């Protein structure tokens, strides 16, 4: 039996403000700089969802990519696209919407929607150079 990894990419736009309730205003400003600006800023995010599973010898696939695409659309993109993450998304009302926290939240949403034990990795590209990677650990 072969184990194969499959990656599917999705994009969305959202705005956020990096701010931790556990830090003072001065500490927030120092740590997050411009990203702590009161009215937020936007990103064109790229989300990569990597699944890992048995290659079905009969069909030659691990999972129907059309189904994976729909799960990513319904469980993540529809909830965050063109939203203000801090104000519009329940999970980020009290959780700082950093790329790291977003990758963890997206993992939880995806895991609920995908067949059991298929999700391997969530990669969230916040900019061309900044990527948060989460494997459910
Ligand atoms: Ni940002």
């Amino acid at each position: 039996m072969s184990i194969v990894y499959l990656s599917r990419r999705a994009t969305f736009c959202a705005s956020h403000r990096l701010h931790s309730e556990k830090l003072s205003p001065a500490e927030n400003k120092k740590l997050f700089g411009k990203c702590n600006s009161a009215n937020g800023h936007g990103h064109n995010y790229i989300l990569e969802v990597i699944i890992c599973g048995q290659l079905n010898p009969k069909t030659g696939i691990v999972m129907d990519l059309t189904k994976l695409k729909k799960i990513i659309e319904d469980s993540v993109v529809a909830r965050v696209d063109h939203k203000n993450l801090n104000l519009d998304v329940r999970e980020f009302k009290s959780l700082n919407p950093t790329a790291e926290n977003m990758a963890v939240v997206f993992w939880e949403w995806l895991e609920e929607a995908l067949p059991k034990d298929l999700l391997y990795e969530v990669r969230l590209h916040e900019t061309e150079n900044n990527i948060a990677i989460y494997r459910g650990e």
Side-chain angles (χ1 to χ4, degrees):
M1 270 298 189
S2 306
I3 301 285
V4 178
Y5 298 76
L6 265 186
S7 174
R8 172 81 202 182
R9 190 174 174 273
T11 59
F12 63 93
C13 307
S15 66
H16 69 172
R17 178 193 187 203
L18 297 186
H19 185 88
S20 170
E21 288 174 351
K22 296 183 173 71
L23 301 174
S24 71
E27 288 170 326
N28 270 296
K29 187 83 212 156
K30 191 170 175 227
L31 181 59
F32 298 119
K34 282 194 295 189
C35 298
N36 184 241
S37 295
N39 295 325
H41 61 274
H43 290 285
N44 297 318
Y45 289 97
I46 298 169
L47 170 65
E48 280 179 83
V49 177
I50 295 112
I51 61 161
C52 170
Q54 295 276 0
L55 178 57
N56 182 327
K58 221 168 162 182
T59 59
I61 67 170
V62 173
M63 182 186 180
D64 182 345
L65 277 175
T66 313
K67 277 190 192 142
L68 179 58
K69 177 186 176 206
K70 181 147 174 39
I71 287 174
I72 297 169
E73 285 293 327
D74 294 348
S75 60
V76 181
V77 176
R79 281 149 117 162
V80 294
D81 191 32
H82 286 72
K83 298 282 172 69
N84 178 315
L85 299 171
N86 307 70
L87 300 177
D88 300 332
V89 181
R90 186 170 43 85
E91 282 77 359
F92 299 116
K93 286 201 167 138
S94 57
L95 182 68
N96 195 10
T98 59
E100 294 92 320
N101 275 334
M102 290 171 70
V104 172
V105 167
F106 293 176
W107 172 283
E108 284 159 9
W109 289 348
L110 287 160
E111 211 181 30
E112 268 175 38
L114 279 164
K116 204 174 163 341
D117 295 332
L118 214 53
L119 187 56
Y120 173 72
E121 184 175 279
V122 169
R123 300 173 80 95
L124 183 69
H125 303 238
E126 188 173 62
T127 68
E128 223 171 279
N129 301 318
N130 299 344
I131 308 167
I133 299 162
Y134 185 60
R135 290 185 181 160
E137 294 156 355

